[in-house]
Amino acid sequence: MSRVYNFSAGPSCLPEEVLKACAAEMMDCNGTGQSVMEMSHRSKAFEPIIENTEKLVRELMNVPDNYKVLFLQGGASTQFAMIPLNLGLKYKKAAYIKTGVWAKKAEAEAKKLGIAVDTLASSEDKGFNYIPRVEKVTGDYDYVHITFNNTIMGTHYEYIPDTGNIPLVADISSCILSEPLDVTKFGLLYAGAQKNLAPAGVTLVIIREDLITENPLPGTPTMLTYKTHSDNGSMFNTPPCYTIYVMGKVLQWIKDNGGAEGMKKRNYEKAEMLYGYLDNNDFYHATAQKGSRSIMNVPFLTKYSTGATDDASVAKEKEINDKFVKEATAAGLVNLKGHRLVGGMRASIYNAMSLDGVKALIAFMKKFAEENK
Ligand SMILES: *Cc1c(COP(=O)(O)O)cnc(C)c1O
């Protein structure tokens, strides 16, 4: 067996201990003689599985009792619509902070549903390479929406905006449980699982109970109503059973490795090592500004990324990026191609990425810089 170091932005690497535990239970989970994939979601065998996953979410994230934990489908992208449908009720007005592609998509979906949107701040002027500072928000808003970690641009909030009584909603898809987060500061948190929690197929929603309404915007489908899922323990219809099971294993792995604090320590060690190298060499540089940098997604360019748009410069840059990705892949370091909007390379170093993986990446980068200077 030969495993690679996988720097994919999502779906992304899972802890090997988790993959092994799932493999060991593949044919017979807990003496039931079945795989979790084959179980009825209403069976006695599945009940403790979903209960365990929820219990671990609550424990590791310190979720207070007046919040519901929901396991939904449709990805984080479906939350872009569910949030305005269920929260945009009183003023039909919401505030968004525009920090990248996902933030823009979330905002666009609210507008589509007839919600008046105020963009409080945007970092689009600088290609979204920083997080704007919005300390305090007041106004007649049903909610304020932020994208806490911007997966594509590699930026992250180093503060939480103070929205007073206005519910703060955050997309934490690519940073959930990467470090401790004070849930009580938020009305609603959501995360597609395929970055830091599980394989693709489940979206975790943590919602304060008073935001769960019986009467969302007129015409809201049953499946897009939070109450439907909170009333039915995420089992109104068939939930993504296997993914919820794997999430439980990932959460147990997080717990065994020191919980959110343990992940923070692990992640800062990796991120500081990688940024440290990027900031102190003359071949590569990180694209995100200091003070806004993600510890999960690290986009970087080479010295050939000069911003020049003449054909020769563009071709040279593409050639060097392609070469980097190809040689890295051959060396067992995969999925390093940057997002087309940023270019260059991107190393996603989620919880499951080991320090050894980051060390191997840096060693490769040094060698490649030497050979291509
Ligand atoms: C990946 C991602 C999304 C989209 O998630 P889907 O589950 O594919 O809909 C949204 N927001 C952020 C921050 C992401 O990283």
Side-chain angles (χ1 to χ4, degrees), residues 58 71 84 163 179 188 216 250 280 313 326 330 362 367 373:
R58 289 189 175 278
F71 302 102
T163 60
E179 58 184 329
L188 190 157
V250 172
N280 292 293
S313 304
K326 188 163 170 247
I362 295 170
K367 177 169 159 287
K373 60 184 180 193

Side-chain angles (χ1 to χ4, degrees), residues 302-322:
T302 71
K303 68 174 184 179
Y304 297 101
S305 313
T306 57
T309 52
D310 61 284
D311 288 352
S313 304
V314 171
K316 179 70 199 168
E317 181 182 349
K318 184 177 177 331
E319 185 194 321
I320 207 80
N321 291 345
D322 289 351

